[in-house]
Amino acid sequence: MAGCLVLSACSGPLSVLEPESASARNATTLWWVMAYAGTGIFMATASVLVLAVVRPAWLRAFGEARLILWGGLVIPLVLLAGLVAAAFALGERGIAAAREPAALRIEAVARQWVWQFRYPGGHVTTNLLHLPAGRDVDIVLTSEDVIHSFWVPRLAGKLDAIPGHTNILRLHADRAGKYGGVCTEYCGIGHAPMRFDVEVHEEEAFRRILASEAATAGEGGE
């Protein structure tokens, strides 16, 4: 029951446990691997400690040398090697890198303490990112002041936005919906509320939104 209450707090627009892309699912899998492994290690260690108090003769019968060899060296090395391998394999795939250019590129420009998104055609949104569902989108990240970090937990891993440099993160949302994004690099006193919304639309709806915003921008410039 307590576990269910704890996990119920791990939902919502910023939850890595509710992935909506292949990249985010790798991060979720890694989270569960680490959670189960950590729980298992804790339980095993606690059991040995209890055994040392309740049945110390059992541990003495096992032998000090073997206890140190297996409990202090062999088993920890095997477990940690497996966790490191899982972290490298799944963690690398959690960052959806752009190996081939996507048809759609959106610039994400960070500054204290807002995100500005620039779409093909020249229209711009602030703290709101529109994406099409079922398509690869390259987010071209940069910053106008200090280092920020772009993260949409339900869609991909995090990547830094660096002044004078561009990083490219590929997003691919499986379906339409609303998600949350956040800066995960401390960037000053306004860092905590430096969030943005992500709205994923079906293809036709996405085109209509961009066309509408382009028209609005055109009217504003007249």
Side-chain angles (χ1 to χ4, degrees), residues 20-24 94-100 102-106 108 117 119 129-141 150-159 168-175 179-181 196-200:
E20 289 293 344
S21 72
S23 175
I95 304 268
R99 294 176 176 83
E100 296 293 335
L104 178 61
R105 292 166 68 93
I106 299 174
F117 302 102
Y119 305 82
L129 173 60
H130 293 291
L131 295 173
R135 283 181 59 188
D136 286 344
V137 180
D138 284 347
I139 306 298
V140 183
L141 297 165
F150 178 95
W151 190 30
V152 184
R154 297 181 65 185
L155 298 183
K158 61 185 72 173
L159 195 60
I168 298 178
L169 178 68
R170 177 156 297 178
L171 298 183
H172 183 112
D174 292 337
R175 58 182 178 178
Y179 311 104
F196 58 95
D197 296 318
V198 180
E199 294 185 0
V200 179

Side-chain angles (χ1 to χ4, degrees), residues 116-193:
Q116 188 179 77
F117 302 102
R118 302 171 183 173
Y119 305 82
H123 36 286
V124 175
T125 57
T126 300
N127 290 335
L128 173 60
L129 173 60
H130 293 291
L131 295 173
R135 283 181 59 188
D136 286 344
V137 180
D138 284 347
I139 306 298
V140 183
L141 297 165
T142 190
S143 170
E144 293 183 346
D145 40 41
V146 299
I147 296 177
H148 301 274
S149 187
F150 178 95
W151 190 30
V152 184
R154 297 181 65 185
L155 298 183
K158 61 185 72 173
L159 195 60
D160 284 347
I162 303 172
H165 177 78
T166 58
N167 284 328
I168 298 178
L169 178 68
R170 177 156 297 178
L171 298 183
H172 183 112
D174 292 337
R175 58 182 178 178
K178 293 184 178 182
Y179 311 104
V182 65
C183 173
T184 58
E185 181 80 24
Y186 181 73
C187 52
I189 59 174
H191 163 73

Side-chain angles (χ1 to χ4, degrees), residues 7-31:
L7 289 177
S8 67
C10 299
S11 61
L14 292 173
S15 175
V16 74
L17 300 183
E18 296 181 329
E20 289 293 344
S21 72
S23 175
R25 278 189 285 275
N26 286 318
T28 302
T29 301
L30 179 59
W31 190 94

Side-chain angles (χ1 to χ4, degrees), residues 88-114:
F88 274 113
L90 294 170
E92 182 68 20
R93 286 184 288 175
I95 304 268
R99 294 176 176 83
E100 296 293 335
L104 178 61
R105 292 166 68 93
I106 299 174
E107 295 180 19
V109 182
R111 67 175 183 272
Q112 296 172 315
W113 287 276
V114 297

Side-chain angles (χ1 to χ4, degrees), residues 40-52:
I41 292 170
F42 173 80
M43 294 300 293
T45 304
S47 298
V48 172
L49 289 175
V50 171
L51 193 62

